[in-house]
Amino acid sequence: MRGRMMEMPLLVSSLIEHAGAVYGDRPVVSRSVEGPVVRSTWREVRDRSRRLAGALQNRGIGRADRLATLAWNTQRHLEVYYGASGMGAVCHTLNPRLHPGELAYIMDHAQDRVLFVDITFLPLAEALADRVPVETWVVLTDDEHMPATTLPDAVSYEALLAEYDGEWTWPALDEYDAASLCYTSGTTGDPKGVLYSHRSTVLHAWGVSLPDVFMLGTGETILPIVPQFHANAWGIPYAAALTGAKLVQPGPRLDPAGLTELLTAEEVTCCAGVPSVFLPLVAAWRKAGSAPPSLKRVLIGGSAPPQSLIEALEGEFGIEFFHGWGMTEMSPLGSVNRLTPAMRARPVAERARFQTKQGRAPFGVEMRIVDRDGGELPRDGQAFGELQVRGPWVAAGYFRDDAEIVTDDGWFPTGDVATIDPAGYMQVTDRTKDLIKSGGEWISSIDVENTAMGHPSVAMAAVIGIPDDKWGERPLLVAVAAEGADADSDAVLAFLGEHMASWQVPDRVEWLDALPMGGSGKVQKNLLRERFGG
Ligand code: ADP
């Protein structure tokens, strides 16, 4: 017997309509690419998204067309999210930090018809113009700031909006229709397109709004430092609309001074980003002697945050730290570590160690760990194996790619190796490809990196396995010295020896000025392996 309730599809347009109707006056504040901070509201974002959809339709854009963006976190980019997906097209965010060759491949694979580009990335778009199928070039600015460009028939975003002044009504789409597209940066093989649906987007937005994740609501102000081109800024642009949170967007200014200024002026309560953004931010706050006073909590994920960062946030600045884990294929939220009240009562160092765990699955994600034969492993906090997930916001396949990516029994293998403890807290010990096997024993590169970054002279650390005749593999520590500190390998190795078994301690340290970082802010260990013979 079926229930007798309405069948209403979960659509991205319903999020912006809700925000406009119910939280119309709540602010949306963005640092613009042109410079000034622009103040708007959810009502205005709704109205402008509608106009964008109408203007695009008039220009012949229709259902399922791919509309790409090469843009910072700004109001106009937000409007493209809603306008494009809402009209039934697919909002395809491009990562401007990728190599132009990779971008050309992705745009051709996606068959993007439109590109919305920030002024900052205009030279990049011009260099790509002959290699991609784009027909309509939209520069995310107004006519006054429109630069000279070689892009054919380029139009400013504001001029495009002005092309429509009708009464727009969003189409009634199927909730399983595609809404947005994001390619994973994949360190091996070609990039793969993750194609989110309206349904997965709305459910994920609901999930990340909950108290144990971003804790959003009308009393909150959230600033996603994580870019909109990285797994839709972890769903924050949707979740803020769903809950009526004030949304603050940093635009192109991601330096500590720019971020601190905006966090303070806009009284931001919650922000989110990768560890490599928070390390310099915390260093700047330490130098200044304070953090933005309104900031209550931060969610950090994307790669493993060092324990020293957690201790600094919680111990020095009294900011609650939430550790998140996820993947582009998971929209991206997979787990969050929010402490139980009992845990929170423990001393900072003790609970910070626990907070290096990636945390528990929210409703909407199921997890298991399996051995090499696919047999499920116990949740005892000790056994480790490949982490597999499933749920309504997990990818079932890639865009224009027939490869099977889920197991026969319906789970997505993440490529991460993890433990799960009896309380359900998952801990990533490594990427499958980064684990080091030395003398038959596994060494977690994340563990060694985390410990190394606890030494005051180490600003950044990456550990890779180097072939070794005797042991099979041995760990090599590649490090960047902290500002003003000596690159003293012996001191760092001795420090590691105090914290881990001797066979886990790397044999030597290679010091670099900087680690090679990929487009999504992760260390490119493949490049380190090439360089150091891993
Ligand atoms: P890519 O797979 O292209 O690097 P993603 O952003 O999808 O891009 O990265 C997902 C991967 O990032 C995860 O599979 C995991 O290895 C790593 N990751 C994400 N969050 C964390 C975290 N909190 N701790 C450790 N690793 C993480």
Side-chain angles (χ1 to χ4, degrees):
M1 183 167 51
R2 288 177 62 90
R4 296 221 40 210
M5 307 306 282
M6 292 184 186
E7 289 193 10
M8 298 274 292
L10 302 172
L11 300 178
V12 168
S13 56
S14 59
L15 294 174
I16 194 63
E17 283 302 314
H18 174 72
V22 179
Y23 316 121
D25 295 329
R26 294 283 294 149
V28 173
V29 179
S30 318
R31 194 188 294 278
S32 64
V33 175
E34 294 87 356
V37 170
V38 177
R39 313 195 71 81
S40 184
T41 60
W42 279 113
R43 183 182 300 110
E44 199 182 348
V45 171
R46 175 200 62 188
D47 294 348
R48 287 167 54 89
S49 314
R50 288 177 180 170
R51 272 173 57 199
L52 173 63
L56 289 169
Q57 182 171 280
N58 284 351
R59 281 183 171 241
I61 298 299
R63 298 274 175 97
D65 283 338
R66 270 77 70 194
L67 317 183
T69 65
L70 206 45
W72 301 108
N73 293 7
T74 65
Q75 182 181 335
R76 292 186 181 119
H77 198 181
L78 181 69
E79 291 162 6
V80 177
Y81 265 40
Y82 284 109
S85 302
M87 72 180 292
V90 176
C91 179
H92 174 200
T93 51
L94 292 164
N95 183 341
R97 294 175 187 143
L98 296 182
H99 185 272
E102 206 169 4
L103 282 172
Y105 169 87
I106 291 173
M107 294 174 76
D108 183 57
H109 188 268
Q111 289 291 299
D112 293 322
R113 288 192 65 191
V114 179
L115 179 72
F116 293 90
V117 56
D118 268 336
I119 295 173
T120 326
F121 306 120
L122 210 48
L124 179 55
E126 287 169 345
L128 288 167
D130 291 341
R131 304 163 68 183
V132 298
V134 171
E135 301 152 29
T136 304
W137 303 88
V138 183
V139 184
L140 290 163
T141 189
D142 53 20
D143 281 350
E144 193 190 329
H145 295 91
M146 183 77 175
T149 173
T150 59
L151 292 175
D153 300 321
V155 59
S156 80
Y157 180 81
E158 296 301 327
L160 177 67
L161 283 199
E163 291 175 8
Y164 188 82
D165 64 356
E167 282 290 312
W168 175 260
T169 313
W170 301 108
L173 306 169
D174 183 322
E175 66 177 8
Y176 284 97
D177 281 351
S180 67
L181 176 63
C182 183
Y183 281 69
T184 61
S185 49
T187 43
T188 53
D190 288 326
K192 305 266 189 296
V194 180
L195 190 61
Y196 306 110
S197 67
H198 285 264
R199 177 186 157 85
S200 71
T201 306
V202 173
L203 290 175
H204 178 266
W206 231 318
V208 301
S209 300
L210 293 174
D212 276 4
V213 192
F214 292 124
M215 200 186 279
L216 292 184
T218 48
E220 299 293 332
T221 300
I222 187 159
L223 185 152
I225 305 176
V226 52
Q228 279 180 243
F229 53 77
H230 193 184
N232 289 332
W234 301 349
I236 294 169
Y238 306 112
L242 184 148
T243 56
K246 170 178 167 183
L247 180 64
V248 181
Q249 307 189 97
R253 283 211 54 193
L254 300 175
D255 58 295
L259 284 172
T260 303
E261 186 186 297
L262 202 58
L263 288 165
T264 310
E266 297 304 327
E267 300 185 338
V268 172
T269 56
C270 172
C271 69
V274 294
S276 55
V277 167
F278 279 93
L279 289 166
L281 205 50
V282 162
W285 294 345
R286 186 174 290 141
K287 220 171 185 172
S290 68
S294 55
L295 195 58
K296 290 187 283 193
R297 58 187 177 280
V298 296
L299 192 130
I300 300 184
S303 58
Q307 188 176 326
S308 49
L309 175 65
I310 306 172
E311 283 178 29
L313 285 165
E314 294 240 341
E316 282 175 53
F317 300 110
I319 296 172
E320 196 177 349
F321 164 85
F322 290 39
H323 184 177
W325 165 88
M327 310 180 72
T328 304
E329 287 88 340
M330 299 186 73
S331 302
L333 181 74
S335 71
V336 187
N337 185 342
R338 174 134 200 255
L339 294 180
T340 58
M343 262 292 174
R344 180 140 288 286
R346 309 258 179 94
V348 174
E350 189 185 330
R351 68 181 196 235
R353 181 151 35 83
F354 186 79
Q355 284 170 294
T356 61
K357 292 196 180 204
Q358 279 68 15
R360 299 198 271 202
F363 175 74
V365 176
E366 288 173 69
M367 293 179 176
R368 69 177 186 187
I369 43 173
V370 298
D371 61 22
R372 277 173 195 278
D373 306 321
E376 190 165 353
L377 291 162
R379 294 166 183 249
D380 58 7
Q382 300 296 323
F384 60 90
E386 187 176 31
L387 180 63
Q388 300 189 337
V389 294
R390 64 179 183 186
W393 62 70
V394 179
Y398 294 111
F399 180 48
R400 298 185 57 211
D401 188 330
D402 294 333
E404 284 294 337
I405 65 166
V406 295
T407 61
D408 290 344
D409 58 347
W411 293 76
F412 174 78
T414 63
D416 285 345
V417 179
T419 59
I420 302 178
D421 71 18
Y425 285 83
M426 180 274 289
Q427 179 152 34
V428 173
T429 51
D430 236 318
R431 297 285 286 172
T432 345
K433 58 183 191 300
D434 292 340
L435 263 183
I436 299 160
K437 198 164 199 183
S438 179
E441 297 289 347
W442 293 107
I443 299 175
S444 153
S445 63
I446 292 185
D447 253 6
V448 184
E449 288 158 9
N450 209 336
T451 311
M453 280 192 268
H455 190 274
S457 71
V458 179
M460 298 274 277
V463 173
I464 53 169
I466 298 288
D468 183 276
D469 288 344
K470 185 166 178 200
W471 303 106
E473 266 187 329
R474 289 295 301 147
L476 168 73
L477 172 60
V478 186
V480 177
E483 215 184 303
D486 286 338
D488 183 346
S489 302
D490 291 343
V492 173
L493 294 176
F495 175 79
L496 288 173
E498 289 165 25
H499 291 85
M500 50 186 47
S502 58
W503 55 271
Q504 293 174 324
V505 176
D507 296 335
R508 61 192 170 91
V509 189
E510 292 280 354
W511 296 91
L512 297 183
D513 292 337
L515 295 178
M517 302 299 275
S520 54
K522 286 175 229 261
V523 178
Q524 291 176 303
K525 289 195 181 175
N526 53 331
L527 297 185
L528 294 178
R529 283 190 200 100
E530 270 169 32
R531 173 156 178 191
F532 296 109

